[in-house]
Amino acid sequence: MTNSQVSVLRVFWLETYYECLKSWRMPSYTVPTLAFPLGFYYLFGVVLAGSSGNNAAQYLLATFGVFAAMGPSMFGFGVGVAMEEEQGQLEMKRVAPMPISALVVAKLGTAMAFTAFVLLGLYGIAYFLGGVRLSATTWLSLATIHLLTTIPFGLIGLTLGLALKGQAALAVTNIVFMLLSVLGGLWIPIMVFPEVAQTFAMLLPSYHVGEIALHAVGINDSGFPFAHWLGVGVTVAIFSLAPWFFWRHKQSQ
């Protein structure tokens, strides 16, 4: 490995480290990111599931893990980028002698770190309080899916952060986050929705990732969920191009 490659890796590492440190020191980010998924899962997956038994806790573990990954991804990118631009930090990073991709990698790394932290709590509640028992391979598969969830929703957040100003980005990200969570079937199975809402849910990436996670725990066992992977792939493709468009637009201003 050459000295220049080492230097680039060090830039990526330091940017990620300080992004994690900055996020950890913001209670407005850490508290909802960590507390909400754990509190909601304990309420719906353990307390209210009650007599429904292990199946409800296992079902909601798969979908609430997606919900847990969406929060740090969408808010870290969406609100974070918009606020940094409003405060002039993004402009400083544009002219700094570092690849702009370091910013994206740092925020993605931070989202994955926070997601991993909350997943430990979520899986602990599921195992010790919800009675969920899965094989080691299944736990690993589920954790991998939940961590990878940060990619499509991070890209959605990045699009919102580049397209909107600070407070507008916060408001719109909140709305989009809640709509994707509820209408995507992460809190309530979509089969209880009206038919129109069920059809709409199938257009949402949160629904497709949730179905992939359910498949991993053996609840939606209908063979390899190709259509759901395709849905996620389309989301990644679209929201990989959208931030590039908004970024180029800002550079041309």
Side-chain angles (χ1 to χ4, degrees):
M1 187 176 290
T2 65
N3 289 335
S4 61
Q5 289 174 320
V6 171
S7 298
V8 170
L9 288 176
R10 180 172 170 77
V11 167
F12 277 67
W13 160 248
L14 288 175
E15 185 72 12
T16 303
Y17 172 76
Y18 287 115
E19 183 69 27
C20 284
L21 192 62
K22 180 185 73 173
S23 299
W24 184 256
R25 291 175 174 175
M26 296 171 58
S28 60
Y29 176 79
T30 56
V31 173
T33 294
L34 302 177
F36 285 178
L38 299 180
F40 287 157
Y41 178 71
Y42 177 73
L43 177 63
F44 292 109
V46 177
V47 177
L48 296 182
S51 58
S52 300
N54 174 271
N55 195 57
Q58 189 166 307
Y59 183 100
L60 290 173
L61 172 64
T63 58
F64 267 81
V66 176
F67 173 68
M70 285 171 57
S73 306
M74 293 188 67
F75 287 99
F77 275 94
V79 181
V81 169
M83 291 297 186
E84 285 170 8
E85 182 175 25
E86 196 170 75
Q87 295 166 1
Q89 297 178 29
L90 198 59
E91 185 61 32
M92 292 177 61
K93 290 182 178 181
R94 283 180 186 172
V95 299
M98 75 170 194
I100 195 63
S101 56
L103 171 68
V104 178
V105 170
K107 289 193 177 297
L108 182 61
T110 301
M112 284 191 170
F114 273 81
T115 298
F117 192 77
V118 74
L119 286 178
L120 286 174
L122 197 69
Y123 293 175
I125 293 172
Y127 186 88
F128 292 107
L129 302 178
V132 175
R133 297 293 184 268
L134 302 172
S135 68
T137 303
T138 303
W139 281 113
L140 182 60
S141 297
L142 189 62
T144 301
I145 291 166
H146 286 157
L147 285 173
L148 290 178
T149 296
T150 57
I151 296 175
F153 293 101
L155 291 171
I156 292 172
L158 181 59
T159 301
L160 295 174
L162 290 173
L164 302 167
K165 301 296 183 183
Q167 291 304 313
L170 176 60
V172 173
T173 302
N174 264 302
I175 292 170
V176 173
F177 174 64
M178 293 305 297
L179 287 176
L180 288 173
S181 300
V182 177
L183 297 181
L186 300 183
W187 292 6
I188 306 169
I190 69 165
M191 65 271 298
V192 304
F193 292 176
E195 189 172 341
V196 164
Q198 290 186 38
T199 302
F200 180 72
M202 294 177 186
L203 301 174
L204 303 177
S206 49
Y207 165 74
H208 292 295
V209 179
E211 290 297 302
I212 292 170
L214 287 170
H215 180 269
V217 298
I219 291 178
N220 183 22
D221 196 9
S222 56
F224 187 74
F226 175 77
H228 301 303
W229 283 104
L230 180 61
V232 175
V234 170
T235 299
V236 170
I238 292 172
F239 288 97
S240 293
L241 293 174
W244 178 83
F245 170 81
F246 287 113
W247 178 256
R248 295 287 294 180
H249 177 70
K250 287 180 183 295
Q251 286 187 314
S252 65
Q253 290 179 331

